[in-house]
Amino acid sequence: MLCLIAKLDDAASAKLNAIRKAAFPDGGQGKQVYGHITLASYPGERETAFVRSCRELLAEIPAFEITYESLVILQETHIIVAKPMDSEILTMLHRRIAEKHGDDLDPWTKGDRWYPHTTLFYGPGENLEQIRSVMTRHFSPIRAKVVRFELSRVLPDGYEIVDRIALLPC
């Protein structure tokens, strides 16, 4: 599977990691947050064509900012996420990809099911409300800059970045 992501700047990623770390000061709950928002997940077999299409659809996009406004629990997938405010450009970019590849995307990123977010914690069986409560005490709105797009292949033990798409300076 390939994922198309909007990659956040290092400062925003560090703030998101600090919020996560506040809930797990011993560091015992997994790896660092890779600051991003997934625009599309493509489980198809025509990966080269998907990468080429994404490059065409995302050409000439200027760098842009988003603002994270809250922490939310998504019960269906057992995650705590940082939720950004509605963003016209993020929505437009997702729509552009979904219009071209909608039937080929996974159920979470096609059409109206897409919910932009950055996952801070995955914990089936954990007390997500308690963990979110601790994180919320350390949260204030975060301005983040989207610095590039990346396409990554999901692997059994992580991911591999297969392409990067630069954004124009603002």
Side-chain angles (χ1 to χ4, degrees):
M1 175 180 330
L2 288 181
C3 293
L4 170 64
I5 67 169
K7 180 68 178 95
L8 306 178
D9 64 289
D10 291 341
S13 294
K15 289 176 184 176
L16 292 168
N17 272 302
I19 292 165
R20 185 185 194 294
K21 187 175 181 175
F24 307 104
D26 64 355
Q29 288 297 319
K31 55 189 171 202
Q32 296 276 354
V33 173
Y34 188 70
H36 74 281
I37 295 174
T38 302
L39 291 169
S41 294
Y42 175 80
E45 296 184 17
R46 297 179 43 229
E47 290 183 352
T48 303
F50 181 72
V51 170
R52 185 174 42 252
S53 174
C54 288
R55 283 196 146 279
E56 291 169 6
L57 293 169
L58 299 173
E60 306 296 317
I61 302 294
F64 60 96
E65 288 188 349
I66 60 169
T67 301
Y68 287 95
E69 65 180 351
S70 61
L71 303 180
V72 177
I73 297 172
L74 301 181
Q75 294 288 354
E76 188 174 357
T77 51
H78 314 286
I79 59 177
I80 299 171
V81 304
K83 180 189 178 307
M85 295 171 59
D86 289 341
S87 164
E88 276 186 43
I89 190 164
L90 206 55
T91 300
M92 178 272 297
L93 294 170
H94 173 263
R95 187 176 302 123
R96 192 179 281 183
I97 299 297
E99 285 173 356
K100 175 80 174 179
H101 297 284
D103 291 339
D104 296 326
L105 301 180
D106 78 345
W108 298 106
T109 60
K110 65 171 56 174
D112 293 338
R113 284 212 67 194
W114 179 67
Y115 184 82
H117 67 275
T118 298
T119 301
L120 300 179
F121 178 71
Y122 170 70
E126 298 284 340
N127 184 337
L128 297 179
E129 188 55 51
Q130 182 180 34
I131 295 166
R132 187 190 68 80
S133 178
V134 172
M135 288 180 177
T136 299
R137 288 195 294 270
H138 299 272
F139 177 81
S140 59
I142 299 170
R143 288 181 60 141
K145 186 173 185 179
V146 174
V147 295
R148 69 180 167 274
F149 299 109
E150 293 178 351
L151 287 129
S152 57
R153 181 174 292 111
V154 177
L155 304 172
D157 59 344
Y159 62 91
E160 167 195 19
I161 298 170
V162 297
D163 201 1
R164 290 179 173 88
I165 303 168
L167 297 175
L168 299 174
C170 347

